[in-house]
Amino acid sequence: MIGRRALLRYASGVSGASAATLAGLAGCASTGSARPRIVIVGGGFGGATCARTLRVALPSARITLIVREATYTACPFSNLVIAGLRELPVQQFGYATLAALGIEVRIAAARDVDAARRSVTLANGERLTYDRLVLSPGIDVDYAALPGYDRAASERLPHAWQAGAQTLLLREQLRAMPADGLVVMTIPENPYRCPPGPYERASLIAHYLRTHKPGARLLLLDAKDRFSKMSLFRAAWRERYGDRLQWLGAADGARVIGVDADARRVFTDFDEYAADVINVVPPQKAGAIAARAGVADASGWCPVYAATFAATLAERIHVIGDAAIANAMPKSAFAANAQGRLVGLQIARLLGDQEPLDTTLLNTCYSLVAPDYGISVAGVYRPNGERWAEVPGAGGTSPLDAPAASRALEARYARDWFTAITRDVFG
Ligand code: FAD
């Protein structure tokens, strides 16, 4: 068990921890096992980082990483693939380095979690027990949330919000559309994976149309009136894409209430749009295994105790990355990587009878408005009670009036960031 002294200190309020934190810590208490077994589900930015951190922080542990596919396809920069500016294989990474480090990598889907018996069942029926479980399953499309949009519809109206076949499908549809055609993108309410992602995608599709389909247009139907880096995107759109790209928000009646995949139509509160290509950025929820484990709430996402990312709804399970409710922290690869590292360290400390770290996390999201035009938003986050709150004044966005040379530099920083993070996680 975690040190009684430490627990009492939390209880007496020395650290300012709430009763909820105490409950979270109790749920994380050590089993005292000499060779603890830690199972991690999901080998993306969160899960793979957590496995690597644990390998170093807890050398005695047996660490098993369960990944659905032998090859991971990264979403950051997949918008460049859609715009024909990059090929999919450079987005793909394997797990050989992690296996060489002594992480047991199992290529299988985790089908179920029994939190009471502390076990994970794989698709082949095999059952793995754990002392501690980390879930980093990313997102699933919430097919129940948008009338007319089910898995079959996504084959005609791709979402491309999980990179891979969907990314290539959207690219092919853009290539095949008429030179004077119409592309419609639908964008949901928050929260969803990568808040600026739809607007980067819109920019790069507009870049593609300007280059290859000179008479074509792109219409964005957004369920919101404000979005990440809005002023920067809109200024850049005016400058680079003019009338080719039109954005409508909720106040314009652009909230999408349904689609008809066969007819390639989108319905809003007031209008109906037919288009040659429709990209539905869909409503989302935590990857399904989170609900199977009982750690997702009615919102579809997973509440966690801030400092440890321990699930509030089950003991000895931590949830990180897109699946977790991290409040002010966005759902990004940068954040998932930071959370993976933090939770690896916190688990090692908890199993070693030490208090969890009191820490600060960062996030930076780059977006490409064009291949030579980058913008960014950065944030600094700290636990405030049981919520991750943004530290006021510590972050910010690129300036609105930066010269072209600064935009080109930020585009380069974005590429360097992708190279660095993917080496850090998979290399
Ligand atoms: P993921 O990376 O999705 O990893 C989850 C893994 O778990 C997947 O491989 C999945 O197959 C696997 N899995 C799920 N369930 C199971 C199961 N039951 N059994 C086994 N395996 C399972 N972020 C940035 O920081 N910067 C960007 O520029 C950026 N650009 C983006 C652009 C687009 C178009 C999109 C869609 C996203 C972008 N993101 C960006 C967001 C980023 O991709 C996600 O936030 C990040 O991948 C989250 O990491 P994760 O570990 O939570 O989930």
Side-chain angles (χ1 to χ4, degrees):
M1 296 293 286
I2 188 168
R4 192 175 155 68
R5 205 162 31 91
L7 276 177
L8 287 174
R9 220 175 311 140
Y10 272 101
S12 67
V14 172
S15 71
S18 64
T21 306
L22 191 58
L25 290 173
C28 289
S30 148
T31 56
S33 163
R35 195 171 182 226
R37 180 165 194 177
I38 299 163
V39 174
I40 300 159
V41 176
F45 287 98
T49 304
C50 191
R52 289 186 80 144
T53 306
L54 278 160
R55 181 70 292 154
V56 176
L58 208 52
S60 66
R62 181 171 170 194
I63 298 160
T64 305
L65 179 65
I66 302 173
V67 300
R68 193 156 30 205
E69 283 152 7
T71 301
Y72 175 76
T73 306
C75 284
F77 275 55
S78 65
N79 288 330
L80 286 166
V81 178
I82 290 165
L85 297 163
R86 189 175 172 90
E87 293 306 316
L88 196 64
V90 291
Q91 296 291 114
Q92 294 180 318
F93 303 89
Y95 296 99
T97 302
L98 278 81
L101 290 170
I103 295 161
E104 185 190 359
V105 179
R106 302 291 302 270
I107 315 293
R111 195 182 63 199
D112 221 338
V113 173
D114 185 335
R117 293 172 72 193
R118 280 194 260 141
S119 69
V120 178
T121 307
L122 304 184
N124 65 5
E126 191 183 348
R127 211 167 62 87
L128 309 178
T129 56
Y130 59 80
D131 295 309
R132 208 70 37 157
L133 174 65
V134 179
L135 297 179
S136 188
I139 57 144
D140 269 351
V141 175
D142 187 352
Y143 284 115
L146 181 61
Y149 199 67
D150 56 15
R151 203 175 287 278
S154 74
E155 295 301 318
R156 269 180 82 75
L157 317 182
H159 55 77
W161 221 243
Q162 288 158 313
Q166 280 273 313
T167 312
L168 296 179
L169 179 61
L170 180 54
R171 174 162 90 174
E172 284 318 308
Q173 290 190 355
L174 290 169
R175 280 187 180 160
M177 69 180 269
D180 60 352
L182 175 67
V183 183
V184 166
M185 266 183 81
T186 75
I187 306 172
E189 309 268 8
N190 292 318
Y192 57 86
R193 154 178 285 182
C194 195
Y199 311 97
E200 177 187 77
R201 176 172 294 174
S203 309
L204 294 175
I205 289 179
H207 175 80
Y208 174 80
L209 298 181
R210 197 181 65 178
T211 316
H212 299 283
K213 310 273 176 184
R217 288 182 310 113
L218 169 62
L219 173 64
L220 309 187
L221 299 175
D222 201 331
K224 306 179 292 301
D225 282 320
R226 301 212 56 77
F227 58 85
S228 173
K229 293 180 263 190
M230 182 167 178
S231 313
L232 286 161
F233 273 116
R234 297 201 72 182
W237 290 343
R238 275 193 298 277
E239 177 195 325
R240 291 278 174 129
Y241 306 122
D243 295 340
R244 187 169 278 117
L245 189 163
Q246 186 186 8
W247 175 83
L248 297 177
D252 307 305
R255 192 177 66 94
V256 171
I257 55 168
V259 298
D260 181 338
D262 292 335
R264 275 219 169 80
R265 279 174 185 275
V266 172
F267 308 99
T268 64
D269 284 325
F270 303 109
D271 275 307
E272 184 177 329
Y273 299 87
D276 299 289
V277 176
I278 297 175
N279 173 210
V280 175
V281 179
Q284 299 156 35
K285 58 185 180 178
I289 193 70
R292 303 287 306 170
V295 295
D297 69 13
S299 72
W301 306 100
C302 306
V304 293
Y305 296 109
T308 58
F309 283 85
T312 64
L313 299 177
E315 293 193 349
R316 296 189 172 83
I317 301 179
H318 302 252
V319 186
I320 56 174
D322 290 352
I325 300 175
N327 321 113
M329 283 196 91
K331 298 185 186 301
S332 73
F334 196 117
N337 175 247
Q339 293 164 12
R341 193 167 293 121
L342 173 66
V343 168
L345 294 174
Q346 300 292 42
I347 290 175
R349 290 178 73 87
L350 292 166
L351 292 175
D353 222 9
Q354 292 173 287
E355 287 179 33
L357 293 165
D358 173 27
T359 195
T360 301
L361 294 181
L362 313 179
N363 180 72
T364 302
C365 280
Y366 291 101
S367 300
L368 293 174
V369 174
D372 63 342
Y373 192 127
I375 55 177
S376 62
V377 57
V380 180
Y381 305 89
R382 283 194 59 74
N384 180 358
E386 286 311 336
R387 297 181 64 78
W388 281 94
E390 185 156 11
V391 177
T397 59
S398 315
L400 248 181
D401 54 357
S406 303
R407 303 298 192 211
L409 265 181
E410 284 226 75
R412 188 177 145 194
Y413 300 153
R415 288 169 208 275
D416 289 349
W417 167 78
F418 183 82
T419 305
I421 194 169
T422 51
R423 279 202 191 138
D424 180 56
V425 178
F426 303 102

